[in-house]
Amino acid sequence: MHTLNRSHAWPILGPGEVRLLEPALQALSPAPLMQSAGLAGARLAMAIAPHARRVWIAVGPGNNGGDGLEAALNLHQRGKEVVVSLMAPRGSGPSDAQAALKRALQAGVRLLDHVPHIWLQQMTAQDLCIDALLGIGATRPLSPELQACVQAMQSCTAPVLAIDVPTGLNPQSGQWLGGETGQALAVRAAHTLSLISVQAGLLMGHGRDTSGQIWLDDLGFRPDQHQAKPLAWLNTPHSKTVRAHASHKGSHGDVAIIGGESMAAHGMGMNGAAILAATAALHAGAGRVILAWLTEPDGVSVPPDVMQRPFKRLALEQLHVVCGCGGGNAIGAVLPEVLQRSAQLVLDADGLNAVAQDRQLQNALRQRAAPDPAPQTTVITPHPLEAARLLDCNTSQVQSNRIQAAQELADRFQCSVVLKGSGSVIAAPGHTPRINTSGNGLLAIGGTGDVLAGLVGARMAQGLSAFDAACAAVAQHGEMADTWPQGRSLTASRLARKINL
């Protein structure tokens, strides 16, 4: 067992893949798999709450509840005062869970059919609650009985350890069970124990806030030994670029930023977005950065290291282009040419909105991947609303299955995709998607997406493939927020200047 570590890629499996693995893992295990899972839960409970006297375990009707019962048995045998609230009729549920219930009863574990409110009031911060109500297949809104358990855990002084997934969280999407119409009621766990594989919902959406510290006990699962098709892989940290001594500015690529509609054009000055993307590309080590305004700028200050050039003078076939940052309505006039001629392209923000509204631009975006005369590589970087516009759906549909939405965009437009948000997803045709776990709420401000677009462009200019550039840039973007100095406000301009190779 170990904490989830981003230092190496780890496969993210769905419930179906986990269930297909269980017979093979059971064949390798000397004990029933549920007993191994329960023992793992008990060991983690002892490690995170070594001085606990009381442990309350809320148990549901399925295998997740069986894991909780096995944990209860082990903790009882270790001398803890354990109370189990069984929120399911006795005699129902899977056979393994029924066997676990029988073992717990025979061992003398105290079982109730309700929440012991008075007993819970006597618990302290050294004690522990264990959430074993719902497992990895949960999809429905919580029943009143389960809601009562969740509310009791939230009001209890003792921290919570969730087994598999915090109750109330959709294990696949990271949204609340029941979607937008469901109640925003979920266990806020201090720790979550994942068994066999981490579920995608723990790594995105509300899962980042409700899961606490994620632990993984693989129960014998070895990705290189067991055939299992992952939904995604964890995105690994950014690797620092090492430059050869015998290099020059032309060795590290030219990045052109096309964007920045002025205040005079439509009453909203967006020159700053293009400057942020240019600053990011500059600090990320691009050899040369060129800024091409869409309209006459409003007297803004451009870093002296950034060259400025009219759009008509850009040799797009020789450049790594970042287009759309602060582009406004003016982007539409240049986008057909940008899509047709740019050797490598990062399309962001208003560029994506223009594509979503125009079938011809959508076809032009797809055509960039065609082999004749030569394939041109593209990364698009939508947030959920922009992704919904491109997919002709709504934001809740995107958020309900972010991995699928990102892959659908990649396949539809034949490009690499960064679906931004809590747990950004990177997808591309022919690649298993990546889920990025670096970053935090400090990035939820205007301009950080422009910084990311410039960073992706710089990584492509330095020779990375579109998919690898997207993965590296997203990881580094989040890592900077994770290491941001405490007490210092994160702004997009400061973030852009903090980037290094």
Side-chain angles (χ1 to χ4, degrees):
M1 185 189 305
H2 54 83
T3 57
L4 193 65
N5 190 341
R6 292 195 312 110
S7 63
H8 66 279
W10 188 265
I12 310 300
L13 305 180
E17 288 75 17
V18 170
R19 293 190 183 103
L20 288 174
L21 273 174
E22 286 175 350
L25 297 178
Q26 183 59 81
L28 298 174
S29 176
L33 209 59
M34 185 172 287
Q35 291 183 25
S36 299
L39 179 59
R43 286 175 172 169
L44 181 56
M46 296 290 291
I48 62 179
H51 304 298
R53 293 187 303 108
R54 298 185 174 202
V55 180
W56 176 49
I57 306 180
V59 167
N63 286 328
N64 185 254
D67 295 341
L69 287 165
E70 291 288 353
L73 168 62
N74 281 278
L75 291 169
H76 174 76
Q77 291 174 337
R78 285 164 171 75
K80 302 297 183 183
E81 184 180 351
V82 179
V83 171
V84 172
S85 291
L86 182 61
M87 310 310 292
R90 299 191 186 189
S92 64
S95 58
D96 287 351
Q98 289 305 305
L101 175 60
K102 183 178 180 180
R103 282 163 45 81
L105 287 169
Q106 290 175 342
V109 175
R110 183 184 174 193
L111 269 79
L112 306 175
D113 60 1
H114 60 275
V115 176
H117 291 287
I118 295 177
W119 190 79
L120 291 178
Q121 291 173 5
Q122 301 171 20
M123 295 179 73
T124 71
Q126 290 186 328
D127 295 323
L128 186 67
C129 300
I130 297 181
D131 170 16
L133 289 167
L134 296 177
I136 60 177
T139 57
R140 300 177 187 174
L142 301 183
S143 67
E145 294 78 14
L146 295 187
Q147 290 184 41
C149 286
V150 172
Q151 290 167 342
M153 287 188 184
Q154 296 307 91
S155 61
C156 185
T157 303
V160 179
L161 164 63
I163 297 179
D164 277 336
V165 63
T167 297
L169 183 76
N170 186 306
Q172 301 310 300
S173 68
Q175 302 302 300
W176 306 125
L177 285 179
E180 289 187 351
T181 59
Q183 70 287 338
L185 177 65
V187 168
R188 264 62 173 180
H191 300 268
T192 297
L193 173 60
S194 293
L195 298 167
I196 301 177
S197 172
V198 176
Q199 295 299 297
L202 301 182
L203 308 175
M204 59 179 68
H206 301 298
R208 301 287 298 277
D209 296 315
T210 61
S211 301
Q213 175 64 63
I214 300 173
W215 298 77
L216 176 64
D217 192 310
D218 55 43
L219 300 182
F221 169 50
R222 300 291 180 269
D224 58 342
Q225 297 176 14
H226 297 94
Q227 290 187 348
K229 183 178 180 181
L231 295 174
W233 292 83
L234 279 183
N235 194 32
T236 51
H238 162 68
S239 298
K240 299 296 182 182
T241 302
V242 179
R243 288 190 166 187
H245 286 282
S247 64
H248 52 81
K249 61 187 177 183
S251 305
H252 308 295
D254 295 342
V255 175
I257 310 296
I258 301 172
E261 186 180 63
S262 68
M263 177 77 75
H266 290 95
M268 180 179 291
M270 297 186 290
N271 299 134
I275 293 175
L276 287 170
T279 305
L282 187 68
H283 284 261
R288 288 174 291 207
V289 179
I290 305 164
L291 181 52
W293 298 112
L294 291 172
T295 60
E296 190 66 26
D298 298 315
V300 294
S301 176
V302 178
D305 322 68
V306 174
M307 296 181 285
Q308 299 181 68
R309 189 173 298 172
F311 172 76
K312 292 182 179 180
R313 290 184 55 196
L314 293 179
L316 295 175
E317 295 85 356
Q318 302 170 24
L319 296 170
H320 305 83
V321 175
V322 178
C323 181
C325 300
N329 294 331
I331 198 72
V334 302
L335 201 49
E337 189 173 355
V338 168
L339 289 170
Q340 182 180 17
R341 293 176 49 206
S342 300
Q344 293 191 320
L345 175 64
V346 180
L347 195 59
D348 184 45
D350 292 320
L352 297 173
N353 290 329
V355 168
Q357 298 169 15
D358 190 318
R359 295 288 183 187
Q360 290 186 334
L361 292 179
Q362 292 172 26
N363 290 334
L365 177 56
R366 272 190 294 271
Q367 190 61 29
R368 286 180 54 79
D372 187 21
Q376 300 160 302
T377 56
T378 312
V379 178
I380 64 174
T381 56
H383 57 52
L385 178 56
E386 291 162 348
R389 290 168 179 158
L390 289 166
L391 292 171
D392 195 22
C393 64
N394 58 51
T395 306
S396 63
Q397 289 173 304
V398 170
Q399 295 293 74
S400 68
N401 196 331
R402 289 172 53 80
I403 296 174
Q404 178 179 299
Q407 191 62 55
E408 186 176 345
L409 282 170
D411 294 339
R412 179 176 297 191
F413 296 111
Q414 290 297 292
C415 63
S416 296
V417 176
V418 176
L419 178 54
K420 297 182 289 193
S422 175
S424 293
V425 180
I426 306 103
H431 290 267
T432 301
R434 302 275 184 91
I435 299 178
N436 189 71
T437 58
S438 66
N440 55 60
L442 292 176
L443 294 171
I445 56 171
T448 57
D450 304 308
V451 173
L452 176 62
L455 180 53
V456 176
R459 295 292 170 244
M460 292 173 72
Q462 291 157 357
L464 293 182
S465 70
F467 182 72
D468 288 342
C471 290
V474 171
Q476 185 178 10
H477 191 251
E479 288 161 9
M480 289 190 295
D482 289 338
T483 58
W484 197 259
Q486 190 171 7
R488 178 176 169 82
S489 298
L490 187 153
T491 65
S493 57
R494 287 175 175 172
L495 185 71
R497 292 192 296 269
K498 187 184 178 183
I499 296 173
N500 55 44
L501 293 179

